[in-house]
Structures are given as C-alpha cells and as structure tokens.
Amino acid sequence: MALVNTKEMLKKAYEGNYAIGAFNINNMEIIQGVVNAAKAQNSAVILQVSKSALNFAGPEYLTAMVNAAVETTGIDIALHLDHGPDFETAKRVIDCGFTSVMFDGSHYDYETNIEKTKEVVEYAHSKGVTVEAELGKLAGVEDEVNVSAENATYTDPDQAADFVTRTGVDSLAIAIGTSHGAYKFKGEAKLDFDRLANVTKKLEAAGFKNFPIVLHGASAVDKASVDLCNQYGGKIDGASGIPNDMLRKAASMAVCKINMDTDLRLGLTGAIRKYLFENPSSFDPRGYLGEGRTYLQNLVEGKIKNVLGSTNSMN
Ligand code: G3H
Ligand code: 13P
Ligand code: ZN
C-alpha cells in the first residue's frame, strides 16, 4: 500500500454523488482519529497540511506518520498541501512524498494566478501529483488564510472554464459563500448553488465533463463541540457554520472534496477541556490526547456517514 493522489477518489466521488472529506492534520492524534474513522467507514480520505502545520510539525514528520497510517489501515489516503502559497512550498512537499497539492493563487490577479498555477501543475504532474487551484475569494478571518469580507468575491463561471483549460489543474476550489473559521454567517446561512451549477455547465461546455469542484471553509461548526468547549471553560460566542443539508446538497452536485478543519479543532479542544476538568489530578498526556482522538474518530465517522456520503467508497 502507498499513498495515492486524488484523481481516482474524486472521479468515483463525482460518479457516486458523494464527497471525500479533506481533514486538516497537525499531529499524530488528529491523523489517527481521522484515519480510524475512515477505516471504520471503509472510506477513502484526504489528509491535508497547511503552511502553518508544515511550520509546526515539519513535512518529514507528517509524511512519515501518514505513511504509517496507510500501512496500518490499508485504506486509500491522499496527503495534500492545503493553501500552498508558492511554487517552492509545493515542490518541497512533493519531493517529501505528498501526493496532491493546492496552489492558492486566489489573491493574485487572474493572469498571475494562471501563470503561477501552471508552474505548479507542470512540476506536480511530472511526479504523478494532482493539483487543486482556487478561483474567487473566500471571506475569512482565521490565521494565515485572511481575506476581508469586503474583498470576498464569488467565482465567475466563465472564468472557471477558461482557468481550467489554461492551467490543466485536476480540481478547482470555488467561492460560493463559504468561509474559513468558526464565524461563517452573521444571519442565515446561504450558499450560491446556482453559481455552482453554472460553473459545472461552463466546464462541461469547455470539454470538462465530471470536473471535481472543491469546497473550502465547509465546517458545520457543530453545536455539540462548541457547547463542550464553553461548558468546560471556553468562550466561543456567536460561532456558526455550514448546515449539513447544504453540504449534502453540494456533495450531490459537482463538489467532490469538502474541507474541514475548524470542526476538528473545536472537537479536539472540547474533548480535552472536558477530560482535564473531570480529571484535575491527571497529567498523563495519553489521557487527554487519547480522549481527544476518540472524540475526533466519532466526529469524523459521523461526517463520512451522514454528510459526505463516502462510506464504502473503498469497495
Ligand atoms: O484553510 C485553512 C485551514 O484552516 C488551516 O489553518 O493555517 O491555522 O493551519 P492554519
Ligand atoms: P473550515 O475552517 O470551515 O474548517 O475550512 C477549512 C478549510 O477550508 C481548509 O482548507
Ligand atoms: Zn481552505
């Protein structure tokens, strides 16, 4: 068994009207929580690594742990660079064993985004690595992915078809109303599904039938995890995410990869807070980290079964 790229898993997801979950990883317990869930659901999975996660753990550690996950679970796992900022970072992780990369040139002007994306595609494809790019801007307030709501612009369907034609990317992240982090909507949740359908229509007209679309900023911001954080000393007010029925609808359309990070952060933090509160004399990391890992496994299993629909995608 070896790591796989995302080509085949996203193709199957398109045909089966489901989506593969792409979960952000930073350490061993998160990796194990996610892959144990995928294994239990007999599902393929994408483990993705942001630039800050690369800085935190180092690509060598993460690659080695994910390779161990492939060996021990036997399921299809793609190791993916999330929001790759430049060619050098993409090349570094590809040379380290990543099987998929995102180049995020969404903050550049259109022609520069094309030019820089193409450079990554050329190198990645020569190594059998798949490439995701982004067109349109997500609103967001979290960490290194920081685009003010004022600048947020949705993806232009005509541009999407031209972009894919000219860059040769394998999948495309689009902006239809999602955003990163735990505070996605002030009022009612709303996604532009007409725009998603239109992107697909334009891609088909340009010769890209069944082209996989990616949804970033797709955490549901589960109430149970937020409540757990707040009940045990946290202070997370006014958080809101993408309702599960909207995620299911996206997955039944052209969205084949759905990104979730915030849900894992909230869940892990809530579970650890609870454990430490209930076990004030415990100082064994295996206690609270183990509790967090189990919580994540249950959480991700629920996502796979009830939201993404990728159960048994390994068959
Ligand atoms: O999309 C962004 C992810 O949530 C990564 O966040 O840069 O804090 O690792 P991070
Ligand atoms: P969330 O912040 O909604 O989990 O989105 C994560 C993401 O898009 C990672 O690329
Ligand atoms: Zn993202």
Side-chain angles (χ1 to χ4, degrees):
M1 280 298 286
L3 282 165
V4 296
N5 67 26
T6 59
K7 195 84 190 169
E8 206 48 42
M9 60 172 82
L10 297 189
K11 181 172 181 284
K12 279 172 73 179
Y14 201 116
E15 289 163 355
N17 296 312
Y18 61 86
I20 298 292
F23 301 98
N24 286 70
I25 56 164
N26 302 283
N27 63 13
M28 185 188 76
E29 290 75 14
I30 299 175
I31 294 171
Q32 289 178 335
V34 174
V35 301
N36 290 347
K39 171 78 178 168
Q41 288 296 315
N42 196 27
S43 171
V45 74
I46 297 168
L47 301 180
Q48 58 185 14
V49 179
S50 70
K51 185 71 200 289
S52 358
L54 283 179
N55 293 342
F56 178 73
E60 294 81 7
Y61 275 90
L62 293 169
T63 309
M65 287 191 287
V66 172
N67 273 312
V70 173
E71 243 170 70
T72 52
T73 61
I75 55 170
D76 284 346
I77 300 176
L79 179 55
H80 174 80
L81 172 66
D82 189 29
H83 294 284
D86 48 38
F87 176 80
E88 290 68 32
T89 308
K91 181 175 184 305
R92 179 170 172 228
V93 298
I94 291 169
D95 294 348
C96 197
F98 280 43
T99 50
S100 179
V101 292
M102 174 193 193
F103 171 69
D104 182 356
S106 60
H107 51 290
Y108 289 113
D109 66 69
Y110 183 60
E111 290 300 328
T112 309
N113 190 359
I114 288 183
E115 194 186 311
K116 289 182 181 289
T117 302
K118 266 170 74 175
E119 195 190 0
V120 173
V121 169
E122 201 174 306
Y123 186 72
H125 282 182
S126 77
K127 307 280 181 188
V129 168
T130 39
V131 180
E132 171 188 329
E134 181 165 323
L135 197 58
K137 291 191 187 79
L138 269 68
V141 288
E142 197 138 300
D143 304 308
E144 293 199 351
V145 185
N146 208 329
V147 184
S148 74
E150 291 80 41
N151 285 338
T153 51
Y154 288 4
T155 307
D156 175 334
D158 284 307
Q159 253 189 4
D162 181 63
F163 185 90
V164 170
T165 307
R166 290 171 61 193
T167 56
V169 288
D170 303 285
S171 62
L172 185 67
I174 64 168
I176 57 166
T178 61
S179 64
H180 293 104
Y183 306 94
K184 299 192 193 297
F185 298 103
K186 287 223 168 67
E188 211 177 303
K190 196 171 172 298
L191 296 187
D192 191 346
F193 286 107
D194 289 345
R195 187 174 297 266
L196 170 59
N198 217 359
V199 166
T200 303
K201 204 170 101 192
K202 298 286 183 180
L203 280 166
E204 274 179 15
F208 297 97
K209 198 171 173 306
N210 292 9
F211 191 82
I213 298 298
V214 178
L215 207 58
H216 281 248
S219 278
V221 186
D222 300 304
K223 189 176 175 316
S225 298
V226 174
D227 286 351
L228 207 53
C229 287
N230 286 337
Q231 198 181 335
Y232 293 99
K235 197 173 174 351
I236 297 163
D237 295 328
S240 79
I242 314 291
N244 284 336
D245 60 333
M246 288 192 184
L247 295 172
R248 276 193 294 270
K249 180 169 176 180
S252 74
M253 296 171 72
V255 170
C256 300
K257 173 176 179 276
I258 291 189
N259 287 10
M260 298 177 187
D261 183 11
T262 298
D263 280 339
L264 304 193
R265 295 178 182 207
L266 289 167
L268 184 63
T269 304
I272 291 175
R273 275 189 180 283
K274 179 171 189 282
Y275 182 89
L276 291 175
F277 181 85
E278 288 175 348
N279 299 274
S281 59
S282 164
F283 52 91
D284 182 344
R286 291 166 296 193
Y288 54 85
L289 292 175
E291 198 69 13
R293 179 175 60 186
T294 303
Y295 188 94
L296 285 187
Q297 174 171 346
N298 290 331
L299 183 138
V300 172
E301 273 203 59
K303 302 277 184 198
I304 290 174
K305 204 162 48 171
N306 306 322
V307 182
L308 301 160
S310 65
T311 300
N312 287 331
S313 58
M314 284 300 299
N315 288 345

